[in-house]
Amino acid sequence: MLLPPSLSALLGPFTPTAVPDTEDLLDATWQVDAAIDHVLKLLDPDPAGLADGSFTGPTGTTLMLAAPDRHTPGLYLRLPDGGTTPTTTAPVATVTLPLAGTLHLAAYRHRVDAVRGRPQYLRTLDPGQLAVIHTGATTSLTGSADSAQLIVAHQPPAHRGSLPLTVADCRRAGEHARACLTTPPEQHDKYFRTQGHWLGDIPALHPTDLDRFHHQSAPALTRLAADRPLMNRLVETLRFDPERFEASRTTLLTDRLVLHAAEQRGFEIRLNASFRPDNQRVPHDHAHPLTTRVLTGGYVQHVYRRTDRGTGPFTSRDLAPAVTTTELPGSTYSLAPALVHQAVMLPGSTTLQLRGPRTRTATAASDLVLSPIHRPAPDDGEPLLHSRPLTDAEHETLREHLVGQGLLSGRPRAHL
């Protein structure tokens, strides 16, 4: 198998209460190596034989590696030229596995969002990070000119205006594919040399659209994830900062430490850990736009489109799957406040999150909200709450957990 068996479930319909088993989707290393080897064998010795069923369009070329039949989906290799595909509503589900370069995914709640240029979910995928675009989802894709993606679909992923490839064009596309798949990527320095507290230089984030918010916030989280000395200092000094300590809380979904509070500039940066997986499975939206970067662990994220009026309370029966992505360490994505999503998480997952200004009241699928026993335990007999500040002991336990994961330096301190 080139791709995990659970993908067959993702290509078909499912509901928030019966999402497919996803642990094997998060083991991406073997997927990319096996897929590249298989693709190269199909391209060798002469890709001209692939001309039948292959096509080119305004944003790149697609080679049909294996034709679909009644029972088996087809296998395609997409070679983008750096342009953005037209925004379309998917007629059937497709699985995309980036093999080289980067792929930018934009998802919309409905066609009106697309017409107005207002994406609700933005995601940059690197090799090995799967994306499933479900039937009925409205999306657009932008692949870097050095990228290649393996696509599994029951029909060719062609757009209006696509043209068949000639034999000569197919040979050229095959040469380009080999170059993309066999040239080692540049070895970028993953760590930034920083001088001082550069977080104060992040510009104000008062987004008018998610695209602008993502392009401002994602680089900041990438830099902070690499600046471990700064992250360590922010956690260690939290207890001496009453504002950040008060804002660091245990909640229905997770425990969070506030690393940087900049309300006057419209954002807050959090480190989220000790997730409550059962609660993450409840489809929900948010009160703020947010950008998240995965540090450890990982999860499969299901993004849903609402089939009701699209505002106010909802149940699981009002949702249809739109996009499924694998969120591995290094994954960075942004969500608009009204977008409904659901995370199936691995134990020990930890993320950085930049939260933008509050725009609405958050909601969750009312028929799936868990009982109060799943909420944070009360402190000293207090009533159960949706969230409350971390105690000194809880803060220290969380810090020790982060040290144990290698995210922070130092050794556990004796409890005060």
Side-chain angles (χ1 to χ4, degrees):
M1 280 293 285
L2 281 176
L3 299 174
S6 55
L7 280 176
S8 59
L10 291 176
L11 281 171
F14 65 86
T15 66
T17 56
V19 297
D21 178 33
T22 52
E23 283 196 15
D24 54 344
L25 291 175
L26 297 172
D27 182 15
T29 304
W30 64 269
Q31 296 175 13
V32 173
D33 293 342
I36 289 177
D37 287 345
H38 188 67
V39 169
L40 291 175
K41 289 177 182 177
L42 293 174
L43 293 174
D44 187 43
D46 186 356
L50 303 175
D52 186 21
S54 298
F55 53 90
T56 186
T59 60
T61 297
T62 300
L63 297 174
M64 186 174 72
L65 304 178
D69 58 33
R70 292 180 58 187
H71 306 289
T72 307
L75 202 61
Y76 305 87
L77 183 69
R78 181 164 52 199
L79 302 168
D81 61 8
T84 300
T85 63
T87 302
T88 57
T89 300
V92 296
T94 59
V95 176
T96 298
L97 176 66
L99 302 179
T102 56
L103 179 66
H104 305 286
L105 165 68
Y108 306 84
R109 291 174 300 176
H110 39 61
R111 292 292 301 180
V112 174
D113 277 340
V115 170
R116 294 176 178 174
R118 296 178 178 174
Q120 302 295 300
Y121 175 62
L122 292 171
R123 175 79 162 81
T124 298
L125 295 122
D126 294 317
Q129 298 174 346
L130 283 168
V132 182
I133 299 176
H134 297 279
T135 305
T138 302
T139 62
S140 62
L141 297 166
T142 306
S144 60
D146 63 344
S147 68
Q149 298 105 36
L150 187 66
I151 299 175
V152 181
H154 284 284
Q155 67 182 46
H159 293 281
R160 182 178 299 177
S162 296
L163 298 172
L165 283 184
T166 65
V167 169
D169 288 338
C170 201
R171 284 198 176 101
R172 283 192 290 269
E175 293 173 359
H176 176 65
R178 287 193 188 94
C180 290
L181 298 175
T182 59
T183 301
E186 295 180 2
Q187 298 301 312
H188 297 288
D189 183 4
K190 295 184 178 180
Y191 296 93
F192 296 82
R193 295 190 177 187
T194 59
Q195 298 292 330
H197 196 330
W198 54 264
L199 292 174
D201 298 329
I202 298 175
L205 292 174
H206 298 288
T208 56
D209 59 71
L210 191 68
D211 187 66
R212 180 180 176 185
F213 181 79
H214 179 75
H215 282 90
Q216 287 182 279
S217 57
L221 293 188
T222 298
R223 186 175 183 183
L224 182 56
D227 194 346
R228 295 300 172 87
L230 176 57
M231 193 189 306
N232 197 84
R233 185 161 69 251
L234 293 172
V235 173
E236 292 294 340
T237 60
L238 205 157
R239 64 173 60 197
F240 307 114
D241 186 333
E243 180 183 359
R244 288 196 295 129
F245 195 90
E246 173 66 22
S248 298
R249 305 179 74 84
T250 180
T251 75
L252 179 64
L253 297 177
T254 185
D255 291 347
R256 68 171 183 254
L257 300 177
V258 174
L259 303 185
H260 184 65
E263 296 300 337
Q264 73 281 5
R265 286 180 284 147
F267 68 91
E268 179 179 278
I269 298 179
R270 302 167 171 176
L271 194 156
N272 295 323
S274 300
F275 288 95
R276 281 163 265 290
D278 287 347
N279 293 7
Q280 297 289 338
R281 282 177 171 266
V282 178
H284 61 278
D285 56 26
H286 292 270
H288 317 79
L290 57 87
T291 298
T292 298
R293 182 178 179 87
V294 180
L295 298 179
T296 64
Y299 46 99
V300 171
Q301 179 163 239
H302 302 291
V303 172
Y304 293 96
R305 54 189 176 89
R306 292 184 58 167
T307 56
D308 60 351
R309 59 182 180 176
T311 59
F314 64 92
T315 70
S316 62
R317 295 180 295 277
D318 300 320
L319 303 175
V323 174
T324 295
T325 53
T326 53
E327 309 299 352
L328 302 165
S331 296
T332 305
Y333 62 87
S334 296
L335 294 176
L339 192 76
V340 179
H341 73 132
Q342 173 191 38
V344 183
M345 311 192 76
L346 292 177
S349 297
T350 307
T351 67
L352 283 174
Q353 186 178 92
L354 191 149
R355 183 269 295 158
R358 183 183 180 92
T359 63
R360 61 192 296 278
T361 299
T363 53
S366 58
D367 58 325
L368 300 179
V369 173
L370 300 176
S371 63
I373 195 171
H374 291 272
R375 296 172 186 258
D379 183 47
D380 297 330
E382 293 178 353
L384 290 163
L385 301 171
H386 180 274
S387 72
R388 60 171 173 76
L390 287 167
T391 64
D392 287 340
E394 287 170 336
H395 173 267
E396 179 58 22
T397 298
L398 185 53
R399 192 196 71 85
E400 291 180 1
H401 170 71
L402 297 172
V403 170
Q405 286 192 313
L407 292 173
L408 301 179
S409 61
R411 293 176 297 176
R413 293 191 295 262
H415 291 287
L416 300 178

